[in-house]
């Protein structure tokens, strides 16, 4: 996950990084998508990056070839001809959701078509083991090796690295650093892996090997579990024995080696350090270089953390990315990280670190291609969470760097703009496709709040919905009889709820909000005619109701705590809620004043359900209960019947009916056989057609799905790390 500058909260999502010879020009149109085998054409709704770029890697010997990685959204390759990034891991399916987190990547300098990825987002007991993907065609196809250890691409330290390296002496040998299981080695190009003897033992902090880098014919490994006095940098010159590097810096400012880069002209290894792995929690750091031929260490820290700023804030930060100029000896860039008061920057030197220039101080930022990067302010910031930095080996003035939300690039060291075309990493929570208006889609996301998509092929012109600006969206609802009226809820900078009278283009915060909204804003709903709002606040708090657009609120004692309110599409007096604790459907016939139990005995205890009301009908309810299947009620929830055509349903939505059909098209993420996939039904769920294929799966897609009420066959899918995917019949 990453953090927004407005809140500094860590959230549950992730990001990417990287570049090659990315042009300064803002751009070409979105590349045409290739039809899937299902007959559907899939592409991203363009948001514009929206995630933490954790790694960027230029190929050292091929102009225009680069890779980037994200913490939850997979990996990408730069397509120099098309001017965009190409996703490489969309084939990973529902059961492999954990592998959308990319811990590290590596290229083979001697074999340009070879690329390696180590995958695995979490090391908790509920997450699966990691895996290594290897490719001989730049990621067009992959071979996979499942590991017996876990990796942590969306945990602390995910901006460190790279933890994967092709041995400089032998292209068949690949090294992999892990967090809890030491150092692994493969001698058959990643097909099999074995643990090797390493001088340091893992600790509970869970960082382990933070980086691997080649310096000449030697390999260096950073160790993140040092106490600040013990060794944290090791090396091997024969590939068999490892030793602590003599004379290495110690102390809290050099506790965790974050990244390293080697200048082959001067035989100097540059290492960035911080007192914590980051991206959060760093308050001290340093930069050092080692002349590998003599063993001499020199501190070259641009600016030492400490002291106070003009407003009295502490100027605390660590150091993150480092990249060496392959063409000019002694020229490199390093980044600060977690510098909130003065904002992070890139420092550049041309004399081996004796003097430095802050590129932020003269930078001109152009975010016209991705306006959300202003975060509701007048001007964008240079960035935060900068741990991924790349310097083009064929162009000394071409630098790219990742932030918590995008990838910036420059070709003249002054003008910077996003270089993120093709990368989408939002964790999407809610989707609405309005029946009328200028926008075909509204999306509610983690970290970036709500977006109003006037065009599906361009980042929203107004950026994130402001007034208030949300970090993470928790609710989004449209009044079906008054579709210009929309409400939203989430973690905001000035209040946690707002309404719109123009279909979501502009917003006005509620005049008041219930007390629980400050700490637990949850799902929100408006009834059909926009006369009533219902807002839920988790299992520890009651829900609240407003009849004056959020000016005043009253408690609803009979509403099941923690449930998501659902409005009837036709009858404004009817509202529904499903209590997962007891498996009971509750309904209201007095516009949400009171709720009474109706159908009981449905599946309970699972929070990942979804209750949906069919458009244009009263009391026509569909209940997705994950592995317990899909249920339907046509009497307002008095009774439900299980749908026999599928055995698992995770999320369900509606779209324009097929020609000649009287019922809306149904879209479902679920299973009609052994595979969890995306399906469409044109006959009220009697039969289903799978509309995605094995190349288009995007990991976990269980949050939301909706069809377009104006375009038959078009469907929007919320992913957890690949933004909004939309498909249309080819």
């Amino acid at each position: 996950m990453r953090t927004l500058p407005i809140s500094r909260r860590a959230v549950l999502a992730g990001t990417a990084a990287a570049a090659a010879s990315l042009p300064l020009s803002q751009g070409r149109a979105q590349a045409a998508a290739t039809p899937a085998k299902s007959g559907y054409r899939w592409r991203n709704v363009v948001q514009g990056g929206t995630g933490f770029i954790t790694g960027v890697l230029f190929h050292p010997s091929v102009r225009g070839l680069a890779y980037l990685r994200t913490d939850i959204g997979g990996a990408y390759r730069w397509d120099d001809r098309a001017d965009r990034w190409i996703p490489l891991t969309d084939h990973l399916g529902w059961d492999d959701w954990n592998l959308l987190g990319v811990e590290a990547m590596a290229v083979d300098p001697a074999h340009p078509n070879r690329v390696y990825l180590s995958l695995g987002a979490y090391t908790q007991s509920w997450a699966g083991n990691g895996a290594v993907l290897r490719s001989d065609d730049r990621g067009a196809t992959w071979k996979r090796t499942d590991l017996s250890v876990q990796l942590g691409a969306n945990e602390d330290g995910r901006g460190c690295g790279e933890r994967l390296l092709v041995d400089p002496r032998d292209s068949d040998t690949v090294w992999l650093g892990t967090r809890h299981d030491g150092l692994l080695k493969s001698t058959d190009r990643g097909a099999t892996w074995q643990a090797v003897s390493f001088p340091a033992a893992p600790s509970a902090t869970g960082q382990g090997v933070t980086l691997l880098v080649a310096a000449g014919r030697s390999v260096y490994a950073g160790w993140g579990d040092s106490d600040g006095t013990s060794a944290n940098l090791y090396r091997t010159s024969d590939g068999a024995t490892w030793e602590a590097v003599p004379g290495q810096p110690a102390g809290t400012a050099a506790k965790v080696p974050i990244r390293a880069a080697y200048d082959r002209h001067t035989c100097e290894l540059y290492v960035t350090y911080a007192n914590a792995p980051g991206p959060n929690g760093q308050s001290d750091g340093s930069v050092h270089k080692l002349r590998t031929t003599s063993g001499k260490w020199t501190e070259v820290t641009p600016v030492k953390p400490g002291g106070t700023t003009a407003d009295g804030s502490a100027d605390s930060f660590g150091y993150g990315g480092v990249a060496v100029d392959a063409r000019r000896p002694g020229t490199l860039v390093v980044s600060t990280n977690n510098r909130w008061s003065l904002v992070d920057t890139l420092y550049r030197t041309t004399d081996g670190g004796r003097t430095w220039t802050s590129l932020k101080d003269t930078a001109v930022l152009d975010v016209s291609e991705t306006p959300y990067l202003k975060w509701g302010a007048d001007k964008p910031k240079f960035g935060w969470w900068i741990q991924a930095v790349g310097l083009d080996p064929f162009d000394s003035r071409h630098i790219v760097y990742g932030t918590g939300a995008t990838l910036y690039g420059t070709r003249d060291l002054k003008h910077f703009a996003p270089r993120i075309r093709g990368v989408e990493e939002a964790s999407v929570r809610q989707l609405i496709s309005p029946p009328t208006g200028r926008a075909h889609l509204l999306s509610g996301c983690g970290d970036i709040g709500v977006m109003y998509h006037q065009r599906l092929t361009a980042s929203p012109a107004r950026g994130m919905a402001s007034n208030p600006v949300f970090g993470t969206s928790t609710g989004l609802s449209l009044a079906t009889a008054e579709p210009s009226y929309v409400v939203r809820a989430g973690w905001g900078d000035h209040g946690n709820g707002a309404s719109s009278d123009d279909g979501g283009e502009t917003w006005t915060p509620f005049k008041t909000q219930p007390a629980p909204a400050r700490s637990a804003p949850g799902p929100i709903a408006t009834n059909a005619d926009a006369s009533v709002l219902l807002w839920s606040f988790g299992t520890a708090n009651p829900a609240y109701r407003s009849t004056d657009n959020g000016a005043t609120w009253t408690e609803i004692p009979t509403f099941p705590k923690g449930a998501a309110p659902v409005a009837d599409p036709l009858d404004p007096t009817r509202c529904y809620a499903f209590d997962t604790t007891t498996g009971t459907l509750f309904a209201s016939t007095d516009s949400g004043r009171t709720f009474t139990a109706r159908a009981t005995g449905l599946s309970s205890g699972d929070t990942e359900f979804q209750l949906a009301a069919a458009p244009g009908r009263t009391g026509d309810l569909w209940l997705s209960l994950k592995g317990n299947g899909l249920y339907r009620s046509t009497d307002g929830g008095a009774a439900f019947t299980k749908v026999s055509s599928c055995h698992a349903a995770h999320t369900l939505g509606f779209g324009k009916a097929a020609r000649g059909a009287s019922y809306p098209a149904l879209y479902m993420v679920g299973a009609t056989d052994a595979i969890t996939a995306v399906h469409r039904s044109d006959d009220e769920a009697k039969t289903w057609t799978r509309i995605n294929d094995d190349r288009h799966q995007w990991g976990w897609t269980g949050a939301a799905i909706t069809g377009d009420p104006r375009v038959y066959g078009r469907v929007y899918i919320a992913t957890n790390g690949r933004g909004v995917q939309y498909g249309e019949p080819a």
Side-chain angles (χ1 to χ4, degrees):
M1 305 293 295
R2 62 242 186 231
T3 300
L4 288 182
I6 58 172
S7 66
R8 305 191 189 183
R9 280 192 300 267
V11 207
L12 295 174
T15 328
S21 62
L22 311 182
L24 264 179
S25 60
Q26 288 288 313
R28 306 176 185 176
Q30 181 171 352
T34 302
K37 293 179 181 179
S38 63
Y40 257 65
R41 190 184 302 271
W42 294 98
R43 66 195 95 184
N44 266 113
V45 173
V46 175
Q47 294 173 296
T50 65
F52 182 25
I53 307 300
T54 52
V56 52
L57 188 61
F58 285 97
H59 197 285
S61 57
V62 179
R63 182 186 293 271
L65 179 59
Y67 297 89
L68 71 78
R69 63 178 169 93
T70 70
D71 47 10
I72 64 167
Y76 296 78
R77 181 188 71 246
W78 177 251
D79 185 333
D80 206 33
R81 291 185 178 181
D83 241 16
R84 61 187 301 102
W85 293 98
I86 305 300
L88 301 178
T89 48
D90 282 356
H91 65 281
L92 294 169
W94 183 274
D95 293 336
D96 287 326
W97 64 269
N98 188 54
L99 301 184
L100 263 293
V102 184
E103 179 86 298
M105 53 191 177
V107 296
D108 187 338
H111 298 85
N113 290 337
R114 293 180 186 172
V115 60
Y116 300 86
L117 303 175
S118 60
L119 310 176
Y122 302 102
T123 61
Q124 280 75 21
S125 59
W126 41 261
N129 290 336
V132 171
L133 297 185
R134 61 194 190 278
S135 174
D136 291 321
D137 53 16
R138 304 187 183 186
T141 61
W142 297 96
K143 294 180 180 178
R144 170 174 163 176
T145 296
D146 291 324
L147 301 173
S148 60
V149 304
Q150 293 182 304
L151 305 178
N154 195 33
E155 297 181 346
D156 285 350
R158 57 194 182 276
C160 296
E162 294 293 325
R163 289 177 165 97
L164 194 60
L165 179 72
V166 175
D167 193 285
R169 298 173 302 269
D170 178 12
S171 288
D172 289 344
T173 298
V174 187
W175 299 92
L176 172 61
T178 74
R179 293 166 177 263
H180 299 284
D181 299 279
L183 186 63
L184 306 183
K185 181 180 180 180
S186 171
T187 57
D188 52 12
R189 287 194 282 146
T192 60
W193 295 86
Q194 300 80 35
V196 300
S197 177
F198 194 74
S203 73
T205 58
Q207 290 305 307
V209 178
T210 59
L211 65 88
L212 293 164
V213 63
R217 295 180 62 82
S218 296
V219 174
Y220 288 75
W223 186 253
D225 292 339
S226 170
D227 60 3
T229 60
S230 57
N232 57 27
L233 192 67
Y234 297 85
R235 71 182 173 202
T236 180
S237 56
D238 60 7
T241 58
W242 290 82
E243 63 176 355
V245 178
Q248 60 188 268
T252 58
K255 183 177 180 181
V256 181
I258 304 298
R259 287 186 176 267
Y262 180 64
D263 188 333
R264 59 184 176 85
H265 299 288
T266 63
C267 298
E268 290 174 320
L269 180 70
Y270 293 85
V271 187
T272 59
Y273 293 91
N275 63 337
N280 279 323
Q282 295 177 342
S283 59
D284 201 359
S286 58
V287 182
H288 299 257
K289 68 177 180 180
L290 167 67
R291 186 175 294 274
T292 58
T293 53
S294 66
K296 179 184 177 181
W297 282 93
T298 305
E299 182 173 0
V300 292
T301 305
V303 174
K304 291 188 177 182
T308 57
T309 64
D311 64 358
S313 302
D315 185 23
S316 60
F317 57 93
Y319 280 90
V322 56
V324 165
D325 191 331
R327 303 167 65 87
R328 298 183 179 182
T331 299
L332 65 144
V333 289
V334 300
S335 70
T336 64
N337 186 67
N338 207 47
R339 193 181 196 182
W340 294 102
S341 296
L342 293 183
V343 182
D344 282 305
T345 186
L346 297 183
Y347 286 106
R348 182 175 183 263
T349 179
T350 58
D351 55 16
R354 288 190 294 274
T355 61
W356 296 86
T357 300
S358 171
L359 298 185
K360 178 192 69 176
D361 296 346
T362 57
V364 177
L365 290 173
D366 177 4
V367 299
S368 56
E369 187 173 346
T370 53
Y372 81 92
L373 288 170
K374 293 183 180 180
W375 307 107
D378 293 333
K379 296 180 180 179
K381 292 186 177 181
F382 194 74
W384 75 100
W385 284 20
I386 305 176
Q387 294 189 291
V389 176
L391 204 166
D392 191 335
F394 298 92
D395 183 352
S396 298
R397 297 168 70 82
H398 180 202
I399 299 171
V400 294
Y401 67 95
T403 77
T406 194
L407 180 79
Y408 280 114
T410 180
R411 278 191 174 275
D412 62 3
L413 306 182
K414 180 179 180 179
H415 296 89
F416 291 81
R419 298 293 181 253
I420 210 70
R421 196 172 298 126
V423 175
E424 299 292 349
E425 205 208 343
S427 175
V428 185
R429 282 69 185 301
Q430 302 96 26
L431 296 172
I432 290 177
S433 184
T436 60
R438 296 203 300 161
H440 274 258
L441 183 69
L442 303 177
S443 62
C445 305
D447 293 350
I448 57 170
V450 173
M451 286 191 171
Y452 176 86
H453 303 272
Q454 288 176 256
R455 296 170 55 198
L456 302 180
T457 56
S459 187
R462 301 181 66 90
M464 298 164 57
S466 58
N467 198 24
V469 171
F470 281 173
T472 291
S473 172
T474 61
L476 188 61
S477 178
L478 174 146
T480 53
E482 301 286 343
S484 61
Y485 182 78
V486 190
V487 293
R488 61 189 177 101
W491 295 96
D493 56 354
H494 295 95
N496 293 339
S499 65
S500 171
D501 289 318
D502 54 16
E505 190 168 2
T506 62
W507 297 85
T508 301
F510 297 146
K511 290 183 179 180
T512 66
Q513 61 182 17
R518 299 185 184 92
S519 59
I524 194 169
T526 173
N527 68 343
D529 65 2
S531 62
V532 172
L533 301 180
L534 303 177
W535 199 354
S536 179
F537 303 102
T539 57
N541 303 295
Y544 283 76
R545 177 177 181 268
S546 175
T547 59
D548 50 16
N549 194 35
T552 60
W553 298 87
T554 57
E555 184 179 322
I556 314 172
T558 54
F559 187 91
K561 291 182 179 180
V566 174
D568 191 276
L570 281 188
D571 187 345
T573 68
R574 296 194 180 198
C575 307
Y576 312 96
F578 181 68
D579 183 0
T580 60
T581 304
T582 62
T584 301
L585 190 286
F586 284 78
S588 171
T589 57
D590 56 6
S591 301
R593 291 184 183 85
T594 60
F595 283 79
T596 58
R598 292 196 172 181
T600 61
L602 299 167
S603 177
S604 61
D606 195 334
T607 59
E608 294 183 19
F609 74 95
Q610 186 196 64
L611 180 66
R617 288 148 178 81
T618 293
D620 190 349
L621 305 178
W622 297 77
L623 182 62
S624 300
L625 292 176
K626 291 184 62 177
N628 291 303
L630 179 65
Y631 291 76
R632 183 184 183 187
S633 171
T634 57
D635 55 9
F640 280 84
T641 301
K642 188 170 186 179
V643 176
S644 61
S645 59
C646 60
H647 63 80
H650 300 276
T651 183
L652 186 83
F654 307 90
K656 184 176 181 178
R659 182 177 298 178
S662 60
Y663 198 84
L666 289 171
Y667 296 93
M668 176 186 69
V669 175
T672 60
D673 50 29
I675 299 174
T676 300
V678 184
H679 299 85
R680 188 190 74 228
S681 174
D682 296 328
D683 57 10
E684 298 185 55
K686 296 181 180 66
T687 61
W688 297 91
T689 299
R690 183 185 179 188
I691 58 174
N692 72 325
D693 64 10
D694 291 348
R695 294 184 297 118
H696 302 85
Q697 299 195 77
W698 319 288
W700 188 77
T701 51
I705 188 172
T706 187
D708 193 309
R710 290 177 268 181
V711 182
Y712 168 71
R714 181 186 289 174
V715 59
Y716 306 97
I717 302 171
T719 76
N720 185 46
R722 282 287 287 121
V724 181
Q725 299 288 334
Y726 78 101
E728 296 177 307

